[in-house]
Amino acid sequence: MNKLFFYRLTTIALVLAFVVIILGAYTRLTHAGLGCPDWPGCYGQVTVPETSQAIQEAKKLFPGAPLETRKAWNEMVHRYAAGLLGLMILLINITALINYKRQRLIVLPGLLLLVVIGQAALGMWTVTLKLLPLVVMGHLVGGFTLFILLGLLRLQLTEKFRYSIPYSASYLYGSPALIGVFILIAQIILGGWVSANYAGISCVGFPKCNGVWWPVMHLKEALNFFAPIGANYQGGLLESGARVTIQMMHRLGAVVTLLYLGWYSLWVWKTAKSRYLKHTGQIIFVLLLVQIGLGIINVTYMLPLWNALAHNAVAALLLLTLSQLTFNLLAKPKFESQSSF
């Protein structure tokens, strides 16, 4: 197996990971997280029961979980795609161990395998713990983590990782980029918490929230990460005030993200001499504006499905672009041209 095969395999896995993120968001947004009450099958079967005999068996096995075929298929398509992604990551690891065990190219595949194992466990707990918010948020973050790690692995296998970035540019732009990555990750986690607690439309309107600039905040209830296990969390259990607080925290995080990444991307765009750095700054700036616009549409038009899916997709693309820039700046700085950046 040559490096081109490894590159193509990683590229396909990266695209599939992006699809899995979208499918996961679609499953949540269509309230299909419990479309199948068991795991990894669906009503005790490999696929969704559709024949009369299979439906009768499903009713006997799960009398308290009425079969909704559409929701069940939403969930199972997501599981099939995630399972295929897991198999591809296993193949990536085998390829890396056979061909690159003495190189650093085995590090990211190993991390990918650990994360995908964790994702499988979280996927199971999402069902068995009835959409416990902490587990749902962890599952979402795990999906983003797989996407980013695959993107970084692909970067190692492409010529982009060999772009001539002067050491001075790595030193100047690298640390602020890393700070931006942490800010964006925190904002994505807040978005996951909004989704896991069904707080997406708790604040109607923009820039005000339900007609006021600053609603009463219920931080203790909103940040209860260790809710009691056993209830069915479909639709959320938190009171309205707690959900409003979660939505407001996400909005405040969006302001911080916009200010910091907006400044950083414009700074790189306007001051960097490297064409790669300038173009990446432009891409980050555009994606940031699109993401803010999608967020505003979410709250003003009551979370339209297409827009909410796009909001998840652009968040993933923004994090991928920023993390790859940071990786290029910090992981392998170039020393051959220290005079300009």
Side-chain angles (χ1 to χ4, degrees), residues 45-321:
Q45 300 180 42
V46 177
T47 186
V48 177
E50 290 191 297
T51 66
S52 57
Q53 181 180 352
I55 292 173
Q56 291 301 318
E57 291 178 358
K59 289 180 179 179
K60 291 178 181 178
L61 284 173
F62 299 93
L67 173 62
E68 296 182 61
T69 304
R70 182 180 176 184
K71 289 185 177 181
W73 271 116
N74 289 351
E75 172 63 12
M76 286 307 293
V77 169
H78 178 227
R79 291 185 190 181
Y80 293 149
L84 179 60
L85 178 60
L87 291 175
M88 293 191 70
I89 289 174
L90 179 60
L91 182 56
I92 285 172
N93 271 268
I94 293 172
T95 304
L97 286 172
I98 291 174
N99 296 279
Y100 307 105
K101 61 183 178 181
R102 294 184 180 179
Q103 302 178 31
R104 287 185 296 175
L105 281 173
I106 67 169
V107 175
L108 286 175
L111 288 175
L112 279 164
L113 188 59
L114 290 176
V115 174
V116 85
I117 292 171
Q119 275 294 87
L122 287 169
M124 177 184 66
W125 294 332
T126 296
V127 176
T128 59
L129 298 181
K130 308 296 183 182
L131 304 181
L132 183 69
L134 186 62
V135 174
V136 172
M137 183 182 70
H139 198 44
L140 181 148
V141 172
F144 274 77
T145 303
L146 285 174
F147 182 58
I148 299 310
L149 289 177
L150 282 166
L152 296 181
L153 177 60
R154 183 178 181 274
L155 186 63
Q156 282 189 304
L157 298 168
T158 184
E159 288 300 319
K160 288 183 179 180
F161 192 51
R162 300 186 181 91
Y163 281 160
S164 179
I165 300 177
Y167 176 74
S168 55
S170 298
Y171 179 80
L172 182 63
Y173 300 119
S175 295
L178 185 60
I179 293 172
V181 168
F182 285 125
I183 290 174
L184 187 54
I185 289 173
Q187 178 62 2
I188 289 172
I189 290 173
L190 283 174
W193 196 236
V194 169
S195 179
N197 287 282
Y198 300 85
I201 54 174
S202 296
C203 279
V204 179
F206 181 85
K208 292 183 178 180
C209 172
N210 299 329
V212 298
W213 287 102
W214 189 258
V216 177
M217 303 290 275
H218 301 265
L219 289 174
K220 184 177 179 180
E221 294 85 355
L223 297 177
N224 181 14
F225 295 110
F226 301 101
I229 296 174
N232 184 334
Y233 296 90
Q234 183 81 58
L237 293 181
L238 294 180
E239 296 294 334
S240 174
R243 297 192 203 196
V244 167
T245 302
I246 294 171
Q247 174 62 224
M248 283 299 296
M249 290 170 62
H250 188 51
R251 290 191 183 192
L252 292 173
V255 172
V256 173
T257 304
L258 174 63
L259 291 176
Y260 186 86
L261 290 186
W263 161 77
Y264 178 76
S265 57
L266 284 173
W267 177 47
V268 173
W269 180 0
K270 297 300 182 182
T271 63
K273 301 294 176 61
S274 163
R275 181 177 297 180
Y276 163 72
L277 292 178
K278 290 181 76 70
H279 286 176
T280 305
Q282 293 169 358
I283 292 170
I284 291 173
F285 185 72
V286 171
L287 287 174
L288 183 64
L289 293 184
V290 171
Q291 184 68 345
I292 294 298
L294 292 171
I296 293 172
I297 293 173
N298 269 343
V299 295
T300 53
Y301 289 93
M302 304 296 287
L303 209 65
L305 179 59
W306 68 268
N307 192 82
L309 292 174
H311 197 52
N312 280 266
V314 175
L317 294 175
L318 182 57
L319 182 58
L320 177 66
T321 306

